[in-house]
């Protein structure tokens, strides 16, 4: 029956069920990603941000919150210019991080 | 007066009181430690290890106890009343005796916020919700039915701190670093557990604190979620369901935990407020005792002969408290030197 | 769950509820949704327990619903409230008891606002005088009808014909209590048991033999949310909130839900049907829903009132499994008979949710 | 001369023959394989070059100069140069002269290809002729030359510092077999020829040796075993050659004509790349040159090890080495055979598979294009990195204004990346998308000159952008020209000592060394760094490296700074925003962009 309205999906992130495989694999390959403090320097300086909304900070957070679609969209806007790596106060190799992520499939496996 | 050794009543035998008493005795005064509880050492004695070097609390307490062995210490003694005399104070003690002293040092310390007052977190209602102190107690004794091989542990920062509704708008200063310390300890204890810290701001101001934080992130993979826990519920299996907003993500988060640790904040000891009224020293807007000057004379009250050391004037770390205790002893020394 | 912990909190939130002499104000919508509830509240209090409850046909809405929907300003709502007070004063009463949770919240809010801003009260008095030449005294006590039933729960229990236990096993029924948001979330001290662990309904449930279950989304809104349901485009959101609550309580297998708000039982009841239609999922046993009762209906059942006289046939979710479980007799043939014993219409059956 | 054996054969030649057939066969197959692996267009181009007189001449000259004489090595290090050319050229001459002897004295035996090698065994001297004596003399002379090289090689192996190398490669087992057999060949040849010198004749080396041996040996019984040993040593060397670094000897002879024909790496493992890998002599010059090797770190991540891992097919290490490199190009600059370290690595990176590839096709650059539309003149593209160093932006703008240049900035509010970082990361296809977008903007502006203050951008704009009709110029060159033309009145400050840091992409990448120095000379005294021009040391901040962490890069930066400050300059000047940002963090004196320095003195 059509009521003219539907159940809307919850926007809440359930950390019990969220799929963090890509994040887990990433930090295994690149442990420095763990030290992100979410300061946003990367996003503020990002060449791609004004074009595509790319933000390494949001990518790292999104991966931990199961927001894979947004993450992929952001990643596909990165131009690898490396400015984020230059400004990261925690010295995270963000450029490599992005490349590593692009090599992981949905299950967190490195594609061959 | 001139021929007598001046007596200094040190109220509270926590680390501030012990250290001040030690220094005062060394300076040739006669400190008297008055302690409400049955043992010296205060809160620190109840802790297991201390940040940022994981020093056992006993390593701080035991030397202090040993070096104040010669100081007259009244344990299990409360102060019924304080009478102001000319240049002197008369303390009426709970055992009926009274103590005449030429100076009073408040080393009254702090009281941990009663976490059950944050009703939404369910401390005292949900089995799996404990406080920072409970966890330290477990580290010390390993006796707590609530801690059984947890797979997910959460820490809530700022419980009763920076919270108008909880009656304390101040930062308790040490909870962030304590939460990180305890999170690391839990992770070391239960390596397979996921550990979450829910924080509003991380205030890691002290020496090596930031390193500690990085260690928690990089070496232990502790998840830091910026957002205050809004409410806690109990799932059917007795685990707790914690809801918060992940403010960096702008979305609500929910997680089921086996253990939730509330980082109860630091409030002024209510006894101190009463003693302050009786001795005529001011209590500040934040509920802590009011120093003569917050920059230059933090250990001095607005009244001659009344001094402060440690957390009675605000949340303090162990080194800050010890430094203040020494500073207070010197201030007392100068006070008597001037009078002579 | 540490029960003593809750008791400690309840001890901190005990409000004073006068025993007798109330001026009763009805809810705008309950008479349509659950027509027998208010009637049986009066019947039980007056006839059975001998209390003095006064009501007048001259009272109106408290304007709370319009206020919360942003359709009229607070001053107007306050003036409407002032008129109710005037009616109460004219009738010679000092204690106000409201049927509606939003009204209760509204009265509390108005009184608190006046306490904080006396000039506001003066202005409203002037408004009321200009509008209808009435004057009023502020009520000494404002109680919600559930507060009063909570207070009288022992007396009801003494007269109970049935207990909230399973007739077959003797085990207490598992009861979810749902408190209307405007009951104590605004002013925790105005509610019995405070805002986090209110005991107004759980007190009744336990006094009458049931066992209250606590589930994670206990605090969550029923989903009504005036600004949501009233706008058709937002109804999906309203529905989703209700869904969230049911998902959360599902593992606890509750036998029933009791409520003290006009909107909550309606939405908790009707949305079960909509959820079942949209997702095929039902939350009770064997394809039935979880019956949702008002506390008056529950009191009536406990006291042995005929379920159909209590209007339980108006509920979407079938109550028969619950009645069977407690052992309350009912005549299926009389279910859809009106007051005059003539057949009223028999509703069609939903596709997913099992009903009689 | 007469032949001692009618058959012209002795069993001891068999090992040599086996080795020779094996190595020739192997090399022939390998050569055909490499040529076949080339893309069709490249193959055609290469084969055509082989019959083009211009290329034939180039190839002969280069092979002679590089493979035999090792002129590049001579320029770099005379001891090493002597060592290599004495062995290579000496050996080559021994073979040539051997053939000459056969053709002169026993021409019918020239079809036995082992004959020239073992000539002295098979013949007996009947009469002494001037011709014969000269040949014998030359044979002994070149043998001595080779032996002198071998002696040097042995010394080098144990004390590499003597020949000016701090670090050298660690040899694999096969390499050691090859090495020792190579060392053994010529002393054995000397012994063998000496033992038979009283029969076959000899010269200043072999005759006295023969005399000495005969004094205490008394018979010829040692002669045959020694010839056997000589043959076996040759056999061993040739049999292991394809599996050792000595493969570079035949490989380089193919590499040179291919490079001359303009062939580039198109596949990470096949064709030209494969040839480059085999051409690596594993000399280890790139180890010392590599900026990553400072403080003995990353020693096994330089190009020589990449080549070794590529030969072994160790994928994990290939990936690791490929990702770590700064792509500064210094290994290529110092490489004797011209192995292109960075290009080889980028090819490996390109090969990588990705689950997710960026796409820039949807980016709408119309607003940017409209903003610069029709501006003409000079279009200045600051690029990502210059946006992080506003001092360069300001100084460049100011200088342009002072010179009265009509200019417009392409990316005042940030623009697109130039694509070079993507290319460095091996994502060439994606870079092409960005290039197309940027070209759209540049074309819309109608400019005649595209000015860049970042060498990373400059290189890719110059090499990859289809910008015919538009001059692409780095700001250091542009300003030097303005100064030379008298349009920028730069005042020289006496006593100001400036050192120019050659950014990798500008110097080695684009060959710009002199213009920035000339421009700086107008402002002060230019002093040189310890290593400069093509051998300048990367700042360590390069985008080329994917995996180096900030901490790992720090000592590299410090090393580069130490090199820059040997002449104690007042300021370090560079022309790359990334170098600037990297140096500023660690330098003990001011680090400036060339534009800043010029602007201050103008």
């Amino acid at each position: 029956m059509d009521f003219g309205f539907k159940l809307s999906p919850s926007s809440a992130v359930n950390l019990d069920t969220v799929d963090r495989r890509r994040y887990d694999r990433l930090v295994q390959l690149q442990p420095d990603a763990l030290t992100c403090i979410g300061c946003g320097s990367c996003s503020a300086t990002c060449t791609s941000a004004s074009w595509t909304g790319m933000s390494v900070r949001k990518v790292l957070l999104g991966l931990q919150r199961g927001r894979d679609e947004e993450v992929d969209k952001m990643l596909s806007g990165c131009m690898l210019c490396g400015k984020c790596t230059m400004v990261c106060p925690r010295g995270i190799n963000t450029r490599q991080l992005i490349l590593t992520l692009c090599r992981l499939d949905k299950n967190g496996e490195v594609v061959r | 007066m001139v021929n007598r050794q001046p007596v200094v009543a040190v109220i509270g035998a926590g680390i501030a009181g012990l250290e001040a008493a030690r220094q005062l005795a060394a300076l040739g005064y006669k400190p008297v430690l008055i302690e409400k509880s049955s043992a010296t050492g205060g809160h620190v004695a109840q802790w297991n290890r201390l940040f940022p070097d994981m020093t056992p609390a006993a390593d701080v307490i035991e030397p202090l106890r040993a070096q104040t062995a010669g100081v007259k210490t009244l344990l299990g003694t409360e102060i019924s009343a304080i009478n102001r005399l000319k240049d002197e104070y008369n303390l009426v003690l709970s055992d009926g005796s009274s103590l005449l002293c030429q100076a009073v040092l408040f080393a009254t310390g702090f009281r941990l916020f009663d976490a059950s007052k944050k009703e939404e977190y369910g401390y005292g209602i949900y089995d799996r919700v404990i406080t920072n102190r409970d966890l330290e107690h477990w580290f010390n004794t390993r006796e707590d039915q609530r801690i059984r091989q947890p797979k997910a542990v959460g820490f809530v920062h700022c419980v009763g701190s920076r919270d108008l509704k909880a009656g304390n708008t101040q930062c308790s200063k040490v909870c962030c670093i304590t939460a990180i310390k305890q999170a690391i300890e839990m992770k070391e204890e239960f390596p397979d557990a996921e550990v979450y810290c829910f924080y509003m701001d991380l205030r890691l101001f002290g020496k090596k604190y930031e390193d500690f934080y990085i260690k928690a992130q990089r070496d232990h993979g502790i998840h830091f979620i910026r957002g205050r826990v809004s409410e806690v519920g109990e799932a059917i299996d007795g685990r707790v369901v914690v809801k918060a907003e992940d403010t960096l993500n702008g979305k609500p988060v929910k997680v089921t935990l086996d253990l939730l640790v509330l980082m109860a904040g630091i409030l002024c000891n209510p006894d101190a407020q009463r003693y302050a009224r009786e001795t005529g020293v001011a209590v500040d807007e934040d509920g802590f005792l009011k120093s003569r000057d917050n920059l230059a004379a933090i250990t001095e009250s607005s009244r001659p002969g009344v001094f402060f050391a440690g957390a009675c004037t605000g949340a303090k770390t162990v080194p800050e408290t010890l430094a203040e205790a020494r500073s207070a002893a010197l201030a007392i020394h100068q006070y008597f030197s001037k009078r002579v | 769950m540490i029960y003593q912990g809750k008791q400690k909190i309840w001890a901190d939130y005990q409000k004073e509820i006068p025993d007798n002499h109330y001026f009763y104000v009805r809810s705008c919508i309950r008479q349509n949704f659950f027509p027998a509830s208010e009637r049986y509240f009066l019947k039980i209090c007056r006839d059975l327990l001998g209390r003095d409850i006064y009501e007048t046909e001259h009272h109106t809405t408290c304007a709370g619903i319009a206020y919360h929907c942003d359709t009229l300003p607070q001053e107007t709502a306050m003036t409407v409230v002032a008129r109710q007070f005037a009616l109460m004063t004219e009738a010679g009463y000092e204690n106000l008891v409201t049927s509606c949770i939003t009204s209760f919240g509204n009265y509390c809010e108005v009184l608190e606002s006046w306490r904080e801003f006396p000039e506001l009260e003066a202005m409203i008095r002037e408004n009321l005088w200009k509008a209808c030449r009435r004057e009023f005294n502020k009520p000494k006590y404002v109680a919600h009808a559930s507060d009063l039933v909570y207070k009288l729960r022992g007396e009801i229990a003494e007269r109970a014909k049935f207990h909230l236990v399973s007739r077959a096993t003797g085990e207490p029924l598992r009861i979810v209590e749902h408190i209307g948001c405007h009951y104590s979330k605004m002013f925790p001290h105005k509610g019995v048991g405070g805002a986090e662990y209110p005991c107004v309904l759980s007190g009744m449930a336990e006094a009458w033999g049931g066992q209250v279950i606590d589930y994670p989304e206990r605090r969550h809104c029923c989903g009504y949310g005036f600004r949501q349901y009233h706008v058709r485009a937002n109804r999906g959101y309203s529905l989703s909130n209700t869904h969230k609550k049911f998902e959360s309580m599902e593992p606890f297998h509750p036998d029933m839900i009791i409520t003290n708000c006009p909107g909550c039982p309606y939405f908790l009841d009707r949305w079960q049907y909509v959820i079942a239609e949209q997702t095929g999922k039902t939350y009770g046993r064997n394809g039935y829903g979880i019956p949702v009762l008002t506390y008056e209906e529950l009191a009536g059942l406990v006291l042995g009132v005929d379920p159909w006289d209590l209007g339980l046939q108006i509920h979407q979710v079938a109550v028969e499994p619950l009645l069977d479980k407690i052992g309350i007799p009912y005549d299926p043939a009389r279910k859809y008979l009106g007051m005059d014993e003539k057949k009223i219409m028999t509703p069609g059956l939903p596709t997913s949710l099992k009903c009689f | 001369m007469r032949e001692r054996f009618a058959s012209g054969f002795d069993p001891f030649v068999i090992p040599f023959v086996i080795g020779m057939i094996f190595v020739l066969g192997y090399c022939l197959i390998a050569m055909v394989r490499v040529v076949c692996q080339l893309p069709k267009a490249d193959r055609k181009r290469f084969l055509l070059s082989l019959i083009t007189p211009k290329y034939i001449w180039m190839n002969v000259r280069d092979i002679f100069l590089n493979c035999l004489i090792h002129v590049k090595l001579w320029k770099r290090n005379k001891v090493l140069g002597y060592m290599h050319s004495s062995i290579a050229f000496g050996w080559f001459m021994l073979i040539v002269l051997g053939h000459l002897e056969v053709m002169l004295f026993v021409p019918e035996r020239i079809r036995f290809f082992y004959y020239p090698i073992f000539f002295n065994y098979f013949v007996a001297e009947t009469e002494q002729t001037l011709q014969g004596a000269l040949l014998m003399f030359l044979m002994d002379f070149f043998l001595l030359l080779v032996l002198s090289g071998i002696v040097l090689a042995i010394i080098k192996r144990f004390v590499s510092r003597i020949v000016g190398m701090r670090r050298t490669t660690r040899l694999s087992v096969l390499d050691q077999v090859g090495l020792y057999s190579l060392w053994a060949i010529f002393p054995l040849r000397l012994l063998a020829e000496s033992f038979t010198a009283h029969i076959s004749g000899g010269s200043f080396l072999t005759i006295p040796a023969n005399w000495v041996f005969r004094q205490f040996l008394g018979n010829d019984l040692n002669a045959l075993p020694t010839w056997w040993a000589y043959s076996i040593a040759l056999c061993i060397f040739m049999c292991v050659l394809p599996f050792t670094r000595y493969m570079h000897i035949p490989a380089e002879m193919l590499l040179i004509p291919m490079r001359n024909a303009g062939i580039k790496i198109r596949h990470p493992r096949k064709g030209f790349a494969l040839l480059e890998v085999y051409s690596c002599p594993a000399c280890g010059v790139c180890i010392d040159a590599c900026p990553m090797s400072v403080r003995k770190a990353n020693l096994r991540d330089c190009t020589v090890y990449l080549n070794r891992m590529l030969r072994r097919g160790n994928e994990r290490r290939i990936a690791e080495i490929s990702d770590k490199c700064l792509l500064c190009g210094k290994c290529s600059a110092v490489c004797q055979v011209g192995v292109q370290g960075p290009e080889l690595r980028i090819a490996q990176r390109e090969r990588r598979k990705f689950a997710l590839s960026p796409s820039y096709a949807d980016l709408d650059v119309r607003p940017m294009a409209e903003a610069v539309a029709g501006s003409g003149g000079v279009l200045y593209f600051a690029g990502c990195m210059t946006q992080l160093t506003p001092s360069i932006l300001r100084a460049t703008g100011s200088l342009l204004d002072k010179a009265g240049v009509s200019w417009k900035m392409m990316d005042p509010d940030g623009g697109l990346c130039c694509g070079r970082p993507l290319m460095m990361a091996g994502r060439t296809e994606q870079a092409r998308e960005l290039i197309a977008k940027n070209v759209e903007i540049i074309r819309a502006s109608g400019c005649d000159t595209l000015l860049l203050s970042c060498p990373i951008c400059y290189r890719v704009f110059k090499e990859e952008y289809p910008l015919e009709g538009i001059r692409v110029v780095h700001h250091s060159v542009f300003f030097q020209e303005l100064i030379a033309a008298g349009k920028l009145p730069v005042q020289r400050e006496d006593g100001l000592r400036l050192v120019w840091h050659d950014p990798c992409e500008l110097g080695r990448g684009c060959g710009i060394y002199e213009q920035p120095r000339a421009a700086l000379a107008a402002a002060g005294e230019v002093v040189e760094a310890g290593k400069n021009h093509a051998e300048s040391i990367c700042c360590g901040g390069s985008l080329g490296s994917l995996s180096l962490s900030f901490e790992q890069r720090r000592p590299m930066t410090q090393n580069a700074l130490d090199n820059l400050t040997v002449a104690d300059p007042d300021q370090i000047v560079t022309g790359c925003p990334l170098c600037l940002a990297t140096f500023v963090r660690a330098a003990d004196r001011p680090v400036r962009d060339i534009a800043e320095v010029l602007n201050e003195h103008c």
Side-chain angles (χ1 to χ4, degrees), chain B residues 115-116 118-132 134 144 146-147 154 156 159 232-234 238-242 257-263, chain C residues 2 197:
Chain B
S116 65
K118 284 291 285 181
E119 291 166 16
E120 60 269 41
Y121 295 165
Y123 179 64
I125 291 180
Y126 303 131
D127 286 323
R128 309 293 187 90
V129 180
I130 68 171
T131 64
N132 40 4
D134 297 340
D144 195 326
R146 297 173 291 190
I147 304 171
V156 187
V159 176
V232 179
E234 198 175 53
R239 297 196 298 157
V240 284
V241 180
V242 171
L257 302 173
D258 296 301
L259 190 69
L260 185 68
V261 187
L262 307 179
M263 304 312 294
Chain C
I2 306 158
Y197 310 95

Side-chain angles (χ1 to χ4, degrees), chain C residues 142-330:
Chain C
V142 177
H144 184 251
S146 61
D147 291 339
L148 191 55
V149 176
Y150 171 77
K151 189 169 174 80
L152 303 174
R153 68 194 188 283
E155 293 180 42
I156 293 170
E158 284 167 20
R159 293 162 174 80
K161 297 227 167 48
F162 301 100
H163 291 283
L164 302 178
V165 295
S166 161
R167 190 176 56 167
T169 64
E171 286 193 0
L173 296 190
R174 303 170 62 77
I175 300 173
V176 158
E177 40 101 34
H178 177 84
I179 308 287
C181 292
H182 296 157
Y183 177 65
S184 58
K185 281 180 186 164
M186 290 187 282
F187 303 104
H189 282 277
K190 304 278 182 202
V192 180
E196 287 295 330
Y197 310 95
C199 73
V200 59
L201 293 180
S202 54
M204 294 178 209
E206 286 172 3
W208 301 336
Q211 178 201 354
V212 173
I213 56 175
D214 196 347
Y215 61 106
E217 297 292 358
R218 162 174 48 78
R219 305 167 178 92
H220 205 81
C221 169
C222 65
Y224 179 12
F226 297 157
R227 291 167 197 229
Q228 309 307 334
Y229 175 76
H230 289 165
V231 181
R232 191 173 175 211
N234 288 355
R235 277 183 201 164
Y237 177 66
S238 171
L239 181 71
S240 305
N241 278 288
T242 313
H243 180 249
K244 189 174 185 173
K245 278 188 85 76
F246 278 107
E247 286 293 315
S248 175
M249 71 174 79
E250 186 190 13
F252 294 83
H253 301 299
D255 293 306
M256 69 166 120
I257 301 169
I258 56 169
T259 63
N260 68 346
C261 173
C264 306
Y266 187 75
F267 285 91
L268 292 174
D269 183 58
R270 304 302 200 266
W271 279 154
Q272 285 194 63
Y273 152 69
V274 178
I275 291 168
E277 288 294 325
Q278 293 194 356
T279 68
K281 186 160 182 182
T282 54
Y283 293 93
R285 290 195 192 277
N286 307 324
Y288 289 98
I290 305 171
V292 188
L293 304 184
T294 68
Y295 58 96
E296 295 106 322
E297 288 170 344
L298 186 68
L301 281 181
V302 165
L303 290 167
V305 181
D306 184 284
W308 309 141
D309 289 350
L310 280 170
L312 298 189
Q313 65 272 57
I314 305 292
H315 291 222
Q316 174 66 60
V317 175
V319 293
E320 284 89 340
L322 174 69
L323 300 177
D324 291 340
K325 189 161 187 178
I326 307 175
I328 297 174
Y330 59 94

Side-chain angles (χ1 to χ4, degrees), chain D residues 309-320:
Chain D
M309 293 307 148
L310 280 168
R311 286 182 75 168
R312 290 186 189 165
N314 183 336
E315 293 296 336
R316 189 187 62 79
R317 286 283 295 136
I318 292 169
E320 196 180 333

Side-chain angles (χ1 to χ4, degrees), chain D residues 104-414:
Chain D
L104 266 176
F105 299 113
V106 277
E108 71 280 8
R109 294 298 191 197
I110 194 74
R111 61 199 161 88
F112 296 149
F113 65 87
Y114 57 84
Y115 223 79
I117 309 301
F118 306 111
F119 180 73
N120 281 13
Y121 179 83
F122 288 110
V123 296
E125 196 175 34
T126 49
E127 52 180 338
Q128 288 198 342
T129 62
L130 189 61
Q131 203 179 29
L134 181 64
L135 274 172
M136 293 287 186
F137 168 78
L138 284 174
M139 289 298 271
D140 272 18
F141 171 76
F142 284 111
L143 185 59
L144 183 66
L145 192 68
V146 174
L147 285 169
S148 67
I150 297 286
V151 169
L152 269 179
I154 293 169
I155 296 171
K156 170 191 164 260
R157 180 58 27 198
F158 297 107
V159 214
S160 62
R161 277 180 185 276
I162 289 178
V163 294
M165 284 175 76
R166 285 195 295 146
R167 303 185 191 98
T168 184
T169 41
R170 296 250 306 265
L171 295 185
S172 65
V173 176
L174 272 179
D175 273 339
Q176 285 182 11
V177 172
L179 179 73
Y180 296 135
S181 59
L182 179 62
W183 286 356
I185 289 170
F186 297 96
L188 285 171
R189 177 173 176 140
L190 175 66
L191 279 179
E193 289 194 341
S194 299
F195 279 127
T196 49
H198 62 287
I199 304 165
S200 63
S203 189
F204 65 94
L205 206 58
T206 40
I207 297 285
N210 179 271
W211 183 80
V212 171
F213 292 146
R214 289 171 69 83
Q215 292 310 303
F216 56 88
L217 290 173
N219 57 38
D220 293 342
L221 291 180
N222 296 299
L224 194 58
T226 321
W227 281 103
W228 266 100
Y230 173 49
S231 173
I232 289 170
L234 277 169
C235 171
I236 293 172
F237 179 69
M238 287 187 290
C239 285
V240 296
L241 180 134
F243 317 106
T244 64
R245 58 196 193 132
Y246 301 105
M247 186 63 185
H248 81 88
I249 300 165
E252 199 184 351
M253 287 194 271
L254 183 60
L255 181 77
I256 288 168
M258 270 204 193
R259 190 166 50 219
N260 284 344
I263 308 299
K264 288 197 169 67
I265 296 175
R266 308 264 185 219
H267 187 282
R269 306 289 165 86
K270 290 181 180 168
F272 197 63
L274 184 68
L275 190 58
E276 284 205 348
V277 168
Y278 280 104
S279 299
C280 171
C283 64
V285 170
C286 49
I287 306 178
D288 278 346
C290 183
M292 298 197 299
S293 70
V294 62
R295 292 200 202 146
K296 295 188 176 170
N298 312 306
L299 288 180
R300 315 207 86 185
D301 295 312
C302 49
T303 304
V304 58
Y305 286 103
L306 174 67
N307 291 331
R308 183 179 284 185
M309 293 307 148
L310 280 168
R311 286 182 75 168
R312 290 186 189 165
N314 183 336
E315 293 296 336
R316 189 187 62 79
R317 286 283 295 136
I318 292 169
E320 196 180 333
I321 297 174
S322 302
D323 285 359
K324 204 183 251 186
C325 175
L326 294 157
L327 303 185
C328 75
K330 196 168 167 187
C331 51
S332 297
V334 299
C335 182
Q336 297 308 304
V337 296
V339 173
Q340 299 165 289
E343 286 76 3
L344 210 49
R345 284 176 172 90
I346 290 175
Q348 307 309 316
R349 294 178 186 181
E350 276 174 345
R351 184 179 186 235
R352 205 149 289 166
K353 285 212 174 56
F354 287 93
L356 191 74
S357 288
S359 164
Y360 315 106
D362 296 338
L363 300 186
D364 181 11
V365 296
R366 276 174 304 180
M368 267 185 86
E370 279 160 21
V372 296
S375 55
V378 172
L379 187 67
Y380 172 40
F381 179 67
C384 308
M385 287 301 164
T386 309
Q387 305 275 4
L388 265 185
T389 48
S391 58
I392 302 181
L393 268 182
R394 208 170 50 188
T396 305
S398 164
L399 281 171
L400 290 171
D401 289 341
K402 283 177 187 167
V405 174
S406 148
W407 67 285
K408 180 116 184 155
M409 194 166 165
M410 178 170 149
D411 52 347
D413 303 316

Side-chain angles (χ1 to χ4, degrees), chain A residues 45 47 51-52 72 75-83 86-87 91 93 95-96 99 102-105 111-112, chain D residues 352-356 358-360 364 368 384-385 387-388 415-417 421-422 425 543 546-548 578 581 585:
Chain A
T45 195
T47 298
W51 300 91
T52 63
D72 289 354
L75 286 176
S76 60
C78 171
M79 302 175 189
L80 288 181
C81 73
K83 276 172 88 182
M86 290 192 68
V87 298
N93 191 349
R95 191 160 166 263
Q96 166 83 334
L99 278 168
C102 286
R103 297 189 62 201
L104 301 183
D105 65 13
V111 290
R112 304 253 171 233
Chain D
R352 205 149 289 166
K353 285 212 174 56
F354 287 93
L356 191 74
S359 164
Y360 315 106
D364 181 11
M368 267 185 86
C384 308
M385 287 301 164
Q387 305 275 4
L388 265 185
L416 290 172
C417 178
L422 278 165
L543 282 172
L546 302 178
S547 61
L548 278 179
L578 186 49
R585 290 182 184 136

